[in-house]
């Protein structure tokens, strides 16, 4: 099946409420490279827009590449060096680049945090991770309480290039209430404490989170930035398949 590129973009923008995140996200969400004119038959999906994924999209014969992390963050001054090496193959092969950063983190059914919550079989879910007028995460209750080790094992099943989940086990031994902000989400530790979470699940940490978690009496699980952010693009690929488009998922785990 073939669709107008503008139609694919419009459907994703509407589904993800892209405009709602415009004032809080440094990423230029939506179509970052290419024209809205033309058609789409084959869509490639990846977490990162990088030389490796762009080259793989070219090789796959994709008409559109959809990623979580794009190429434009708060502006683009020059198209030289690394920027040129990434953008040129897209232009030369007429591949559009569609990006969804925070909208794909925060979507309560298609997003990254929702995907983590699905894998952990959380119930009674609510938005979590306030960022201005929007949320970028989710929280919920485990159907059966986790021990620290069982939750670590569940998170280790995510694809993080073989890097194990790091745990700051300063909270209760029995974990029921779990807050999730994928990627780099330790800045929401105070909110996790405020809502009574037993654990915060995120991707990567910062030096100060050790003491913050210890003083808050909260478990923090660092399951990998990449590993916690594969769910959203996979869900967008499933949508494209429902629309009748051919899809390819490009897996380049970073181990980080």
């Amino acid at each position: 099946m073939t669709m107008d590129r503008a139609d694919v973009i419009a459907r994703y923008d509407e589904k993800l409420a892209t405009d709602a995140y415009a004032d809080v996200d440094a990423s230029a969400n939506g179509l970052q490279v290419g024209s809205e004119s033309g058609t789409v038959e084959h869509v490639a999906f990846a977490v990162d827009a990088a030389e490796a994924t762009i080259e793989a999209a070219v090789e796959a014969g994709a008409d559109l590449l959809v990623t979580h992390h794009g190429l434009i963050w708060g502006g683009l001054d020059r198209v030289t060096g690394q920027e040129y090496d990434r953008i040129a193959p897209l232009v030369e092969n007429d591949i559009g680049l569609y990006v969804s950063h925070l909208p794909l983190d925060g979507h309560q059914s298609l997003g990254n945090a929702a995907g983590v919550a699905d894998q952990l079989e959380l119930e009674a879910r609510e938005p979590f991770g306030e960022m201005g007028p929007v949320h970028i995460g989710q929280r919920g209750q485990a159907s059966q309480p986790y021990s620290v080790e069982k939750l670590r094992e569940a998170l280790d099943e995510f694809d993080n290039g073989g890097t194990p989940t790091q745990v700051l086990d300063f909270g209760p031994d029995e974990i029921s209430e779990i807050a999730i902000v994928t990627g780099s989400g330790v800045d929401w530790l105070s909110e996790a404490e405020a809502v009574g979470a037993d654990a915060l699940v995120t991707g990567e940490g910062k030096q100060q989170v050790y003491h913050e978690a210890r003083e808050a009496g909260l478990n923090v699980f660092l399951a990998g930035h990449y590993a916690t952010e594969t769910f959203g693009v996979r869900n967008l690929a499933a949508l494209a398949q429902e629309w009748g488009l051919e899809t390819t998922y490009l897996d380049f785990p970073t181990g980080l």
Side-chain angles (χ1 to χ4, degrees), residues 15-95:
K15 194 76 174 177
L16 295 164
T18 300
D19 288 346
Y21 291 78
D23 293 335
V24 298
D25 198 348
S27 171
N29 296 310
L31 186 67
Q32 280 196 358
V33 178
S35 169
E36 289 194 12
S37 64
T39 59
V40 174
E41 183 176 354
H42 185 173
V43 189
F45 296 84
V47 174
D48 303 306
E51 283 189 43
T53 54
I54 292 167
E55 289 171 0
V58 172
E59 186 174 344
D63 307 301
L64 183 68
L65 173 61
V66 174
T67 69
H68 178 50
H69 300 129
L71 301 178
I72 301 173
W73 302 86
L76 187 62
D77 295 328
R78 301 170 188 265
V79 182
T80 59
Q82 187 180 75
E83 286 75 20
Y84 178 83
D85 291 340
R86 291 175 171 180
I87 293 172
L90 295 169
V91 175
E92 290 167 359
N93 293 278
D94 193 24
I95 300 174

Side-chain angles (χ1 to χ4, degrees), residues 212-227:
E212 292 172 354
R214 186 172 182 272
E215 291 161 10
L218 188 69
N219 295 303
V220 176
F221 292 77
L222 308 175
H225 197 130
Y226 181 91

Side-chain angles (χ1 to χ4, degrees), residues 90-199:
L90 295 169
V91 175
E92 290 167 359
N93 293 278
D94 193 24
I95 300 174
L97 174 64
Y98 181 92
V99 175
S100 186
H101 183 231
L102 294 186
L104 194 54
D105 284 324
H107 196 283
Q108 294 298 295
S109 59
L110 297 174
N112 290 315
V116 174
D118 287 342
Q119 295 297 306
L120 299 180
E121 299 183 342
L122 302 189
E123 302 172 344
R125 302 186 199 178
E126 297 180 10
F128 175 80
E130 288 187 8
M131 194 167 189
V134 295
H135 292 83
I136 58 170
Q138 193 171 91
R139 65 185 177 99
Q141 185 171 13
S143 54
Q144 295 290 331
Y146 284 97
S147 66
V148 170
E149 188 55 35
K150 286 296 184 183
L151 184 51
R152 184 209 305 263
E153 290 174 1
L155 294 170
D156 276 344
E157 293 180 8
F158 297 177
D159 181 10
N160 197 30
T163 303
T165 299
Q166 292 181 277
V167 183
L168 303 177
D169 54 344
F170 295 125
D173 295 331
E174 188 174 272
I175 298 171
S176 295
E177 299 290 336
I178 299 174
I180 304 164
V181 175
T182 61
S184 182
V186 293
D187 289 342
W188 283 268
L189 187 145
S190 294
E191 184 180 343
E193 180 187 12
V195 300
D198 302 314

